[in-house]
Amino acid sequence: MERTLLLIKPDAVQRGLMGVIISRVEQRGLRMIGMKLMRVSRTLAETHYSIHQGKPFYDKLIGYITSAPVVAIAWQGNRAVAVVRQVLGATDPTAASPGTVRGDYGIDIGRNLTHGSDSIENGQAEVKLWFTADELLDWERIGEEWVFET
Ligand code: IDP
Ligand code: MG
């Protein structure tokens, strides 16, 4: 089953947007299988964002994600990666559509509130990077047959 990592970044936590962000994904129908409030270590930040190492915004990005608590959430369901990316909207909030988290609540790209895994492979890998096996719960959410056709 497809899995994806959602991060509610420090700006969203500080601005009191945890609940609305979780609600949007929860109401879409994905199953939450893990969630934690945590302070991100420099090591985890650098591993998670290793693909961006060397880019002009890299140092600021590591500073941003480690600056205050984040909420890490693992979601599972058909098309989970695409659904979360769609709920979050484009990376630059001024390019994100209204109705998306970034389009409704963000302005600057360096304060874009959230992270969502960008491929099925990265979804699996990022859930493994951020959660230990015993932090993930195997459970049935009732009514999933009314969200997923199969
Ligand atoms: P994504 O979060 O939509 O997948 P990526 O291109 O993977 O976007 O970039 C990772 C994060 O780096 C973004 O969410 C944003 O916080 C930050 N970022 C990306 N591009 C810029 C930039 O040009 N200036 C400042 N921060 C940036
Ligand atoms: Mg990305």
Side-chain angles (χ1 to χ4, degrees):
M1 180 71 79
E2 210 171 299
R3 290 179 170 183
T4 194
L5 176 76
L6 168 68
L7 297 179
I8 301 176
K9 290 176 173 175
D11 48 337
V13 173
Q14 295 287 0
R15 291 177 55 196
L17 297 171
M18 289 185 278
V20 294
I21 294 168
I22 293 168
S23 258
R24 287 182 180 210
V25 181
E26 187 183 32
Q27 290 175 350
R28 197 70 190 274
L30 293 181
R31 186 198 308 174
M32 181 189 288
I33 57 168
M35 175 167 73
K36 56 184 171 181
L37 177 72
M38 61 188 285
R39 193 70 186 256
V40 181
S41 69
R42 204 180 161 83
T43 308
L44 177 58
E46 288 177 351
T47 306
H48 176 76
Y49 281 128
S50 60
I51 195 168
H52 297 301
Q53 205 171 358
K55 293 186 183 167
F57 59 85
Y58 177 76
D59 288 342
K60 276 191 177 171
L61 176 59
I62 298 299
Y64 165 46
I65 202 77
T66 58
S67 62
V70 308
V71 178
I73 304 173
W75 298 96
Q76 181 169 298
N78 294 350
R79 309 171 78 188
V81 168
V83 167
V84 169
R85 295 281 291 190
Q86 185 185 40
V87 168
L88 302 187
T91 305
D92 180 348
T94 59
S97 303
T100 65
V101 169
R102 288 159 168 173
D104 287 348
Y105 300 112
I107 295 178
D108 281 357
I109 193 168
R111 294 287 183 272
N112 66 353
L113 305 159
T114 48
H115 164 83
S117 306
D118 65 3
S119 68
I120 292 173
E121 302 72 44
N122 285 340
Q124 296 288 346
E126 290 178 359
V127 168
K128 272 207 180 108
L129 175 66
W130 286 75
F131 290 90
T132 61
D134 66 0
E135 289 173 332
L136 297 172
L137 207 61
D138 190 17
W139 65 295
E140 296 293 315
R141 185 172 167 187
I142 59 163
E144 282 185 352
E145 72 273 28
W146 300 111
V147 178
F148 302 116
E149 192 176 5
T150 52

